[in-house]
């Protein structure tokens, strides 16, 4: 722990001249910058995907509200009788939290957008609607249908939102997959930086020997490498994040017509998340290079 | 400053150095001679902690080297100026930055030591070559740069491996005078060399002891030196 703190201090407080002890590495620098940029770009997308599928799952789930509608179409004379029978069946059905016949006024309100406010609802053969609210576990849809068929011939069970249920589960899985991708991208970044740092350390074993000859501690030597890779990763990741944000911005906004993709932009406070990507990438690089450097220095002793 | 007690060393195979007991007191001036391949460089490496004895005890500044971790060795090295036989430099940095490297490594700002640095460059006759890269230097210039780097931190001990191997007689006399001067200021000096003329010249200026390594052991050399 102390070694890490020493190195953190060395990385943060080092004067620029001391960075020059490690010779410049030419084009491999750009490989690190490019790779971390690409990783950051992908992270922004995985992040957008995760947050969007999360929102989707949530809003569908809210809309669903665990409600269904029972519609009774019967000759005027039998309407009251069948409604009562249906309510009785529903009352006895496990998984039904409550069932309530809509009043004429409520039904009229529902029809108003189509027929205007003056519809004489009493004189029209409008079906009676019963609002059914499920419990947490839900009812057995098939069983209820069969019983209604037998006891209330005019009843039709309309489970208008039930079909969305597997989609909600899929959206939740998509969100989890997004987070797993982000973790994998982070791990891959760490692995990439470790490989690059190992190569740099191996190529500079003579430099390390000279530094040791003049009294350099492991922290000093390691920080020269760590600082370099942390900076490169930070720069690359900042560029990649910026491009990722621009690409996400080019997606249509949530207000536009369309389906799933419309919500891919970040919303509200979520815009903050991508700005954590570059510092986190730099942290991963710092830890990975520090670990690689300590191991190599141990071996070169 | 440096004490050895029954120290032996081998590079894995047969023992190269056996049973060496010796003490280098503060302010002493020693020469180390012996045939090529006898183990002079190896002996110096033991003295600055680059190698650890295979057996026996070595004390640096009064403390057992066996108890030093890598950081402790690094700190001890800042008090020991080493001129390596093949003068290792950072080839991508100019001479002046190489000479200032021990300052940077110990967290001292080179700017504060600017006078010191210039004086030292002047002493070793490299003022005109300050901005050259090490590979552009002649063998002698490299050795002088290595000596300057070894002295920049004003170390308590100076270990020099063939510091005059590639310089002319005049320059070697000049470097010797520098080392003698430092010795008179209280620094402990040890020079490994084949150059008998250099040893004789030194003996005229300073109380120098001559040690000779051969067949794995170390003895005081005869009075003829
Ligand atoms: N890293 C090493 N691994 C194995 N053997 C080594 C190693 N370094 C040196 N030796 C061997 O140890 C012996 C002593 O080497 P050393 O460099 O100490 O000799 P030296 O007295 O300094 O010689 P010279 O006067 O030529 O500089 C030599 O035979 C050399 O080949
Ligand atoms: Mg040698």
């Amino acid at each position: 722990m102390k070694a890490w703190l020493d190195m953190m201090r060395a990385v943060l407080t080092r004067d620029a001249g001391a960075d020059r002890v490690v010779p410049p590495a030419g084009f491999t620098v750009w490989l690190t910058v490019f790779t971390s940029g690409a990783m950051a770009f992908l992270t922004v997308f995985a992040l957008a995907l995760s947050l969007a599928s999360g929102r989707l799952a949530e809003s569908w789930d809210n809309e669903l509200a665990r409600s269904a509608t029972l519609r009774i179409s019967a000759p005027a004379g039998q309407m009251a009788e069948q409604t009562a029978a249906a309510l009785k069946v529903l009352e006895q059905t496990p998984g039904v939290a409550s069932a309530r016949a809509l009043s004429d006024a409520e039904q009229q309100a529902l029809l108003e957008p189509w027929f205007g406010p003056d519809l004489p609802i009493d004189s029209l053969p409008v079906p009676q609607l019963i609002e059914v609210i499920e419990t947490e576990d839900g009812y057995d849809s098939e069983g209820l249908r069969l019983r209604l068929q037998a006891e209330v011939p005019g009843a039709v069970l309309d489970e208008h939102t039930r079909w969305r249920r597997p989609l909600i589960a899929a959206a939740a899985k998509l969100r989890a997959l997004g987070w797993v991708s982000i973790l994998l991208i982070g791990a891959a970044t760490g692995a990439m930086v470790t490989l690059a740092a190992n190569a740099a350390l191996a190529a500079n074993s003579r430099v390390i020997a000279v530094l040791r000859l003049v009294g350099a501690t492991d922290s000093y030597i390691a920080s020269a490498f760590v600082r370099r890779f942390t900076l490169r990763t930070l720069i690359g990741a900042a560029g990649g994040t910026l491009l990722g944000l621009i690409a996400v911005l080019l997606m249509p906004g949530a207000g536009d017509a369309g389906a799933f993709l419309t919500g891919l932009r970040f919303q509200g406070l979520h815009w903050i998340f991508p700005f954590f990507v570059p510092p986190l990438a730099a942290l991963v690089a710092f830890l990975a290079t520090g670990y690689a450097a300590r191991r190599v220095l141990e071996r070169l002793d | 400053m440096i004490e050895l007690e029954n120290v032996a060393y081998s590079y894995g195979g047969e023992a190269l150095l056996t049973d060496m007991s010796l003490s280098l007191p503060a302010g002493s001036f020693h020469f180390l001679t012996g045939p090529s391949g006898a183990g002079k460089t190896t002996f110096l490496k033991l003295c600055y902690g680059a190698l650890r004895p295979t057996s026996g005890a070595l004390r640096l500044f009064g403390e057992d080297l066996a108890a030093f971790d890598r950081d402790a060795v690094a700190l001890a090295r800042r008090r020991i100026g080493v001129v390596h036989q093949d003068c290792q430099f950072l080839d991508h940095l100019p001479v002046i930055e190489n000479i200032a490297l021990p300052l940077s490594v110990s967290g001292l700002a080179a700017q504060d030591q600017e006078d010191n640095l210039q004086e030292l460059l002047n002493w070793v006759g490299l003022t005109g070559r300050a901005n050259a890269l090490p590979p552009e230097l002649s063998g002698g210039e490299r050795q002088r740069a290595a000596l300057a780097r070894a002295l920049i931190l004003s170390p308590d001990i100076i270990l020099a491996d063939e510091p005059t191997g590639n310089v002319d007689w005049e320059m070697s006399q000049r470097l010797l005078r520098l080392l003698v001067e430092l010795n008179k200021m209280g620094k402990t000096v040890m020079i490994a060399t084949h150059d008998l003329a250099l040893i004789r010249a030194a003996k005229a200026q300073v109380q120098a002891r001559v040690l000779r390594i051969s067949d794995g052991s170390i003895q005081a050399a005869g009075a003829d030196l």
Side-chain angles (χ1 to χ4, degrees), chain A residues 182-201:
Chain A
I182 290 172
L183 288 181
L184 283 178
I185 293 170
T189 305
M192 179 274 296
V193 174
T194 304
L195 286 175
N198 263 324
L201 286 156

Side-chain angles (χ1 to χ4, degrees), chain B residues 6-220:
Chain B
N6 307 322
V7 166
Y9 188 80
S10 81
Y11 280 108
E14 210 178 315
L16 175 65
L17 302 172
T18 55
D19 202 25
M20 293 191 300
S21 295
L22 182 70
S23 163
L24 304 185
S28 60
F29 198 116
H30 283 87
F31 281 102
L32 187 61
T33 62
S36 179
K40 299 183 293 297
T41 300
T42 306
F43 179 83
L44 291 180
K45 283 184 173 168
L46 286 166
C47 289
Y48 63 86
L51 298 174
R52 293 184 181 244
T54 358
S55 68
L58 195 154
R59 276 186 294 281
L60 256 185
F61 304 112
E63 284 176 66
D64 192 349
L65 182 66
F68 283 39
D69 60 9
R70 279 203 301 283
D71 278 355
V73 170
L75 293 182
R77 251 178 229 176
R78 296 177 191 174
R79 301 175 59 190
I80 307 176
V82 179
V83 182
H84 209 269
Q85 189 166 16
D86 35 62
C87 329
Q88 301 183 335
F89 295 108
L90 300 182
D91 288 343
H92 63 288
L93 293 183
V95 168
I96 182 125
E97 285 189 49
N98 266 286
I99 293 176
L101 193 58
L103 295 171
S104 152
V105 155
S106 0
L108 302 168
Q111 299 93 283
D112 304 342
Q113 309 276 328
E114 192 55 41
D115 292 346
N116 209 346
L117 202 54
Q118 290 303 335
E119 192 183 348
L120 206 50
L121 268 178
N122 193 29
W123 246 109
V124 296
L126 285 177
T127 309
R129 304 293 280 148
N131 293 312
L133 292 177
E136 300 164 2
L137 297 184
S138 74
E141 286 171 330
R142 287 166 66 82
Q143 281 182 325
R144 287 182 271 151
L147 184 61
R149 185 181 64 187
L151 298 178
I152 188 75
L153 282 179
S154 186
D156 300 321
I157 302 175
I158 297 153
L159 302 175
D161 201 351
E162 303 280 3
T164 59
N166 286 309
V167 299
D168 59 42
W169 175 247
E170 212 164 305
M171 182 51 77
S172 76
Q173 288 307 296
R174 194 162 152 189
L175 297 182
L176 179 66
R177 269 205 306 284
L178 174 56
L179 289 167
V180 167
E181 195 97 0
L182 290 163
N183 177 246
K184 287 186 173 151
M185 288 162 59
K187 316 275 185 203
T188 310
V189 177
M190 176 169 242
I191 304 172
T193 185
H194 295 287
D195 189 348
L196 299 186
L198 184 75
I199 298 178
R200 287 199 195 94
K203 282 191 133 180
Q205 303 172 41
V206 73
Q207 263 278 330
R209 274 176 74 197
V210 182
L211 303 169
R212 185 180 166 79
I213 297 185
S214 63
D215 303 326
S217 65
I218 196 163
Q219 308 100 22

Side-chain angles (χ1 to χ4, degrees), chain A residues 248-282:
Chain A
V248 168
L249 260 179
L250 292 179
M251 290 302 215
D256 303 350
F260 171 68
L261 281 177
T262 56
L264 204 53
R265 275 196 206 167
F266 296 102
Q267 280 172 18
L269 273 181
H270 286 174
W271 279 106
I272 291 176
F273 284 146
F275 291 93
F276 286 112
V277 172
L280 280 177

Side-chain angles (χ1 to χ4, degrees), chain A residues 63-73 90 102 110 127-134 139 141-142 144-145 148 154-164:
Chain A
E63 260 172 56
L64 191 77
R66 311 196 171 280
S67 73
T69 308
L70 195 64
R71 200 169 63 238
I72 298 170
S73 317
L90 288 168
L102 298 192
L110 283 175
Q128 171 67 51
L129 299 180
I130 298 178
E131 182 190 57
V132 181
I133 308 288
E134 293 178 52
Y139 54 81
S141 181
E142 272 317 295
L144 182 59
R145 250 177 239 280
L148 287 171
V156 176
L157 184 59
D158 181 5
E159 295 165 307
H160 42 94
T161 52
R162 233 174 205 245
W163 63 274
R164 278 187 173 174

Side-chain angles (χ1 to χ4, degrees), chain A residues 168-213:
Chain A
I168 292 170
K173 279 194 186 122
L174 202 56
R175 166 169 56 180
L177 214 60
W179 288 114
V180 169
S181 308
I182 290 172
L183 288 181
L184 283 178
I185 293 170
T189 305
M192 179 274 296
V193 174
T194 304
L195 286 175
N198 263 324
L201 286 156
N204 286 297
S205 59
R206 231 183 69 88
V207 168
I208 293 172
V210 173
L211 291 173
R212 281 204 164 139
L213 186 69

